[in-house]
């Protein structure tokens, strides 16, 4: 089946990530069959989809998009029976994923690609118990999957190259921005970069050098304003002036050795934990997580629109 | 003098950063006296200010703002003679900064604050040769200083606390977003976070795990879309769901130990250098640095507007 011809998607796991995928697929006009073992999963899922729908309508729905295209099935097997693509979004537990993917593999029609949302495991270790491991691939989204375009696609040792290619084309057809990786790297790409920032932030808090609010302000009022348009490489390319990255590296290369970042994960002491928790409460200024999520969604849309207008030369 | 009463600013050094400060101060309605030892400095400076002006007009000029309020002086001493505030933006060379700041200190009227744009040195080491070191402070901007709001303010061991406070208030009055730090940390805050990402990116390129274009796309299509609104701490606060940062740390704390980021600056080999340079050329897709700068400026404005509308509940 050609990637663009897919109409029936199965989503296994319907928490924040699985539910986000489901909202995305519904908005792009797919039929979605979902399964999640939690007793209140359907209720939570429908609430998540309803909450996301205004943002998705704002972004533009596919012609045939409807929340009515979602069916929640009583078993995993029923959910994948008619699938033309399967997205697994179970909790990050290797044993659980290995068993679940083997079950999905056994129940899914031959030739249908099975993708995992894992952020932490390589497909090589996850596909170990599958009968037909060649069709299993990682399709790692970003939260919320219905808004953030990025998906990182990478296979395991037993994954067919053609499956990796097909999956990338499918996600592109489904409206995502795809990075196809040609080898497994723990954390893939974006999370490694995020983790590097996150660990440095934890060190600064642990050492009393900055509060979470200062750290966040240093990003939102500073380099964070550039990152929706220019990633870290092109940012430093511009920092090199007319000479670009070459001047940057030749001129500032030695400052790589500057003691400007710490290099091991800090001990997560109770004190560090409490300072992070309290600091985030301060930074949230009374806004609940739900309020922050709604604000983030509006902001991501507004920022994507702004960047798109700039790229098209409209502003 | 109260911080809000300042009208006359002297800028010593008029390259990319000094020139950016000058454009910012002119746009906020200040009289600016500049000095730079380079023979073609005035010509370059006026070109930089002219190039920045459309963006500044777009953002909103102060009533009395004019490029005609810039005068370029033949000597450092002439530039600071009438100053009510001095911003130094010389190259990052400790010897040079120590001497230059001592000269500025000797020539500047008593009681006037002298701020350094340094991104790399602490004021404690820079103020060593000054006769009145208590009035020297770091005011570290982000590029371009006429667009990115962030300024990090921090004193050295000999800096008066009142000078730090005054400087923060002055920058606020001049339209910047200020983080006041209560101790010196190499790289301050935002650059440490940027450096952490940058080193991880270099490691990935050095290891052939990702190209600069993939690294940039992983940010611009992914977490970079959230960072203009939510810094790294609140981002992970949301990742904890309703339980926020507490749930995040208590639940995912152990994954801090995951091998998701490398922890020493990589050796800047010729090969790594060339791969970064070529990768940036690829990612620029034929756009010159000047074109990328113009695009970035439009994008930063559009993103700041978008975020502001979201914060005010307009979208």
């Amino acid at each position: 089946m050609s990637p663009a011809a897919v109409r029936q998607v199965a989503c296994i796991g319907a928490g924040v990530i699985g539910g986000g995928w489901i909202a995305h697929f519904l908005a792009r006009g797919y039929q979605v069959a979902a399964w999640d073992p939690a007793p209140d999963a359907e209720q939570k899922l429908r609430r998540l989809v309803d909450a996301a729908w205004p943002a998705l309508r704002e972004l533009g729905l596919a012609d045939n998009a409807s929340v009515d295209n979602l069916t929640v099935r009583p078993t995993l097997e029923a959910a994948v029976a008619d699938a033309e693509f399967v997205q697994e979004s179970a909790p990050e537990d290797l044993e659980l994923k290995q068993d679940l993917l083997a079950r999905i593999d056994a129940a899914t029609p031959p030739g249908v690609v099975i993708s995992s949302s894992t952020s932490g495991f390589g497909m090589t270790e996850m596909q170990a118990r599958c009968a037909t491991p060649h069709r299993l691939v990682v399709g790692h989204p970003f939260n919320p999957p219905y808004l953030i375009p990025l998906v990182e696609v990478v296979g395991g040792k037993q994954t067919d190259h053609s499956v990796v290619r097909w999956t990338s084309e499918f996600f592109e057809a489904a409206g995502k921005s795809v990075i196809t990786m040609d080898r497994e790297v723990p954390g893939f790409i974006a999370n490694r970069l995020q983790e590097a920032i996150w660990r440095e932030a934890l060190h600064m808090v642990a050492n009393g050098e900055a509060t979470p609010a200062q750290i966040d302000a240093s990003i939102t009022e500073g380099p964070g304003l550039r990152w929706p348009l220019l990633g870290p490489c092109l940012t430093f390319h511009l920092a090199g002036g007319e000479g670009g990255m070459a001047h940057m590296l030749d001129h500032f290369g030695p400052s790589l050795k500057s003691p400007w970042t710490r290099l091991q994960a800090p001990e997560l002491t109770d004190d560090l934990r409490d300072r992070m928790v309290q600091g985030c409460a301060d930074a949230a200024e009374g806004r609940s997580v739900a309020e922050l999520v709604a604000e983030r969604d509006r902001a991501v849309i507004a920022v994507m629109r702004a960047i798109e207008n700039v790229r098209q030369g409209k502003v």
Side-chain angles (χ1 to χ4, degrees), chain A:
Chain A
M1 174 172 252
S2 100
V6 171
R7 300 267 52 90
Q8 303 269 352
V9 168
C11 289
I12 302 302
V16 171
I17 297 299
W21 269 121
I22 288 164
H24 175 77
F25 286 129
L26 290 171
R28 306 312 306 157
Y30 292 89
Q31 301 284 330
V32 180
W35 175 74
D36 190 293
D40 58 348
E42 175 159 4
Q43 199 185 353
K44 277 192 175 168
L45 169 58
R46 293 199 183 270
R47 218 157 47 214
L48 186 155
V49 171
D50 288 344
W53 209 250
L56 291 165
R57 185 182 292 125
E58 177 73 13
L59 273 179
L61 298 170
D63 282 345
N64 44 348
S66 168
V67 296
D68 297 335
N69 293 334
L70 168 63
T71 50
V72 178
R73 304 285 187 176
T75 64
L76 179 156
E77 288 71 18
V80 302
D82 301 320
E84 295 160 343
F85 175 81
V86 180
Q87 184 73 30
E88 169 272 312
S89 308
E92 289 293 295
D93 176 313
L94 183 56
E95 282 283 321
L96 185 156
K97 292 245 194 212
Q98 286 174 327
D99 285 345
L100 190 69
L101 289 172
R103 274 180 69 196
I104 295 172
D105 184 36
T108 299
V112 169
V113 168
I114 300 162
S115 162
S116 173
S117 298
T118 185
S119 60
F121 301 114
M123 185 44 81
T124 297
E125 47 186 354
M126 288 193 298
Q127 70 196 167
R129 299 178 191 169
C130 293
T132 53
H134 69 277
R135 62 167 165 173
L136 280 100
V137 64
V138 168
H140 173 236
F142 274 72
N143 195 33
Y146 58 86
L147 279 188
I148 303 285
L150 185 64
V151 183
E152 293 167 317
V153 175
V154 58
K157 284 211 171 31
Q158 297 187 77
T159 308
D160 269 4
H161 287 307
S162 64
V163 167
V164 175
R165 209 164 42 239
W166 187 95
T167 307
S168 293
E169 287 171 21
F170 166 71
F171 281 129
E172 293 276 6
K176 307 297 288 183
S177 292
V178 179
I179 296 181
T180 309
M181 299 177 66
D182 57 13
R183 68 161 102 169
E184 292 180 287
V185 180
F188 314 117
I189 300 176
N191 269 346
R192 292 194 78 92
L193 301 168
Q194 272 211 115
E195 278 290 307
I197 265 203
W198 174 232
R199 290 185 191 190
E200 184 64 23
L202 288 171
H203 277 296
M204 297 198 82
V205 173
N207 292 342
E209 293 161 344
T211 64
Q214 286 179 318
I215 286 165
D216 277 8
S218 83
I219 296 297
T220 60
E221 305 296 308
L225 292 168
R226 304 182 291 214
W227 279 328
L229 182 75
L230 300 171
C233 297
L234 280 187
T235 292
F236 282 114
H237 180 56
L238 265 63
E242 288 298 324
M245 178 57 71
H247 179 75
M248 166 74 193
L249 289 175
D250 299 342
H251 204 70
F252 301 113
S255 77
L256 271 180
K257 304 290 188 200
S258 299
W260 281 14
T261 181
R262 249 109 3 172
L263 302 170
Q264 300 238 340
E267 200 58 43
L268 185 58
T269 60
D270 286 350
D271 181 55
L272 173 54
R273 179 206 171 280
D274 292 347
R275 276 200 266 174
M276 288 303 301
V277 170
Q278 186 53 49
C280 280
D282 294 346
E285 292 177 340
R287 289 167 294 176
S288 70
V289 170
E291 285 167 334
L292 286 168
V293 165
E295 193 174 319
R296 178 201 59 193
D297 286 4
R298 294 197 307 274
V300 171
I301 291 174
V303 167
M304 287 194 297
R305 288 236 162 106
I307 295 295
E308 191 55 31
N309 284 336
V310 168
R311 286 199 173 125
Q312 294 182 1
K314 285 187 194 159
V315 291

